[in-house]
Amino acid sequence: METWSVLLADVDKRDKIYRTIQYLCKLYCGLPYGSAETKLGVRKLAKVLSSARQVLRLGKSFLVWNKIRSQPKMVDPISFSLIRLSDFSFMLYFLYDNIAWLFRSGLIVGKEKGPRRKATEFYLSGAAFNLLENTRQLLKIVFMERHYSSSEHSQNEMMGEQHFSAQMKHDRIWKQRLYLTICICIRLILDIIVALNILRDDSKDTIFNGICGSLSSIIAFYISWPVKKSISSE
């Protein structure tokens, strides 16, 4: 219960919970099972969750802008550029998402389709830049481990138990970082697939899109689980 209290107290983690349920609803609606009445109720639940998530994201573009302003310049110019492009894309995603909610709520007269499409396009570009950066980090982790292993192999016979303990700690941290980065890359690939399908007007409630969205949400939820924080902090 304490873990769930931590999750529900965080807006971003609560959004992940809603997103997981939302895409499971979409997956169910795409299956050739269940009555039309039941699916109608499930679709309504998905729409309610979608609106609730939009409310949770109100004003989030300002948080991303503050992150961009306070972001220190990195030594690696490629990583800095990719992260900056990703942040700008997500800032515009949240901005257009907020505008789409204003149309949906009736505060602004008109259709939300245009701003919602723009939001999806910026989300797609942000996820793509983020995927490129995490793929680079994944390659760096693998390359650095190979370099470390080759340099350490020649020193194994000269070192004692202390070296063995340090090696075990290094292997544990390396595996955790590798596993986390792989999970992030898989989630981003699934997010890109979902965004591309949403941009196609005829593919919003397909089984494929429901599966990809559900898996992406579950992975994101798993990564954000409080117990796993030690993986990214070491």
Side-chain angles (χ1 to χ4, degrees):
M1 287 300 296
E2 183 179 351
T3 300
W4 281 101
S5 297
V6 173
L7 288 169
L8 293 172
D10 188 290
V11 174
D12 288 333
K13 292 180 176 61
R14 203 184 317 157
D15 178 69
K16 289 179 175 62
I17 296 173
Y18 293 167
R19 188 178 191 265
T20 304
I21 300 173
Q22 178 186 347
Y23 275 97
L24 287 174
C25 289
K26 288 179 178 290
L27 174 60
Y28 174 77
C29 290
L31 296 173
Y33 309 106
S35 64
E37 185 178 353
T38 302
K39 288 191 175 182
L40 179 61
V42 173
R43 284 193 181 94
K44 288 181 178 179
L45 174 59
K47 288 182 178 179
V48 169
L49 290 172
S50 177
S51 297
R53 293 182 61 220
Q54 282 186 301
V55 173
L56 290 176
R57 294 193 295 264
L58 285 174
K60 198 166 181 180
S61 56
F62 295 104
L63 296 178
V64 181
W65 172 244
N66 285 331
K67 175 190 173 184
I68 293 172
R69 289 179 58 191
S70 60
Q71 190 178 59
K73 194 165 184 178
M74 300 172 63
V75 177
D76 186 346
I78 298 178
S79 290
F80 180 77
S81 299
L82 289 173
I83 292 173
R84 182 60 62 88
L85 288 169
S86 177
D87 287 341
F88 269 114
S89 296
F90 282 124
M91 182 186 72
L92 292 171
Y93 155 68
F94 288 123
L95 180 62
Y96 275 100
D97 183 72
N98 294 165
I99 295 172
W101 179 82
L102 292 175
F103 280 107
R104 173 181 282 192
S105 64
L107 293 175
I108 299 179
V109 179
K111 295 183 179 180
E112 63 168 317
K113 185 175 180 180
R116 187 176 59 189
R117 184 176 182 85
K118 277 290 184 183
T120 305
E121 290 172 352
F122 280 117
Y123 185 89
L124 177 61
S125 63
F129 288 128
N130 205 352
L131 177 61
L132 287 173
E133 170 57 17
N134 278 279
T135 301
R136 291 183 75 251
Q137 294 303 318
L138 180 62
L139 294 175
K140 281 184 179 181
I141 291 171
V142 174
F143 175 78
M144 289 176 64
E145 173 60 21
R146 287 182 178 178
H147 179 73
Y148 177 86
S149 299
S150 61
S151 62
E152 289 294 309
H153 180 71
S154 59
Q155 302 179 18
N156 282 342
E157 296 180 357
M158 302 172 59
M159 306 296 290
E161 185 177 345
Q162 185 177 2
H163 170 75
F164 180 76
S165 177
Q167 177 67 33
M168 290 288 289
K169 183 179 180 181
H170 167 81
D171 290 343
R172 178 175 61 85
I173 295 174
W174 176 79
K175 287 178 182 178
Q176 288 175 335
R177 288 179 175 171
L178 179 68
Y179 179 66
L180 177 64
T181 309
I182 289 174
C183 286
I184 292 173
C185 288
I186 293 173
R187 178 181 64 83
L188 289 168
I189 291 171
L190 292 170
D191 283 345
I192 289 171
I193 293 172
V194 170
L196 288 172
N197 275 278
I198 289 176
L199 291 174
R200 294 174 53 198
D201 293 335
D202 60 338
S203 306
K204 292 184 179 178
D205 289 329
T206 61
I207 297 176
F208 180 70
N209 204 34
I211 291 174
C212 291
S214 300
L215 288 176
S216 167
S217 301
I218 292 170
I219 292 173
F221 188 49
Y222 172 75
I223 292 172
S224 67
W225 193 264
V227 178
K228 299 298 175 182
K229 283 185 176 178
S230 59
I231 294 179
S232 57
S233 62
E234 286 188 83

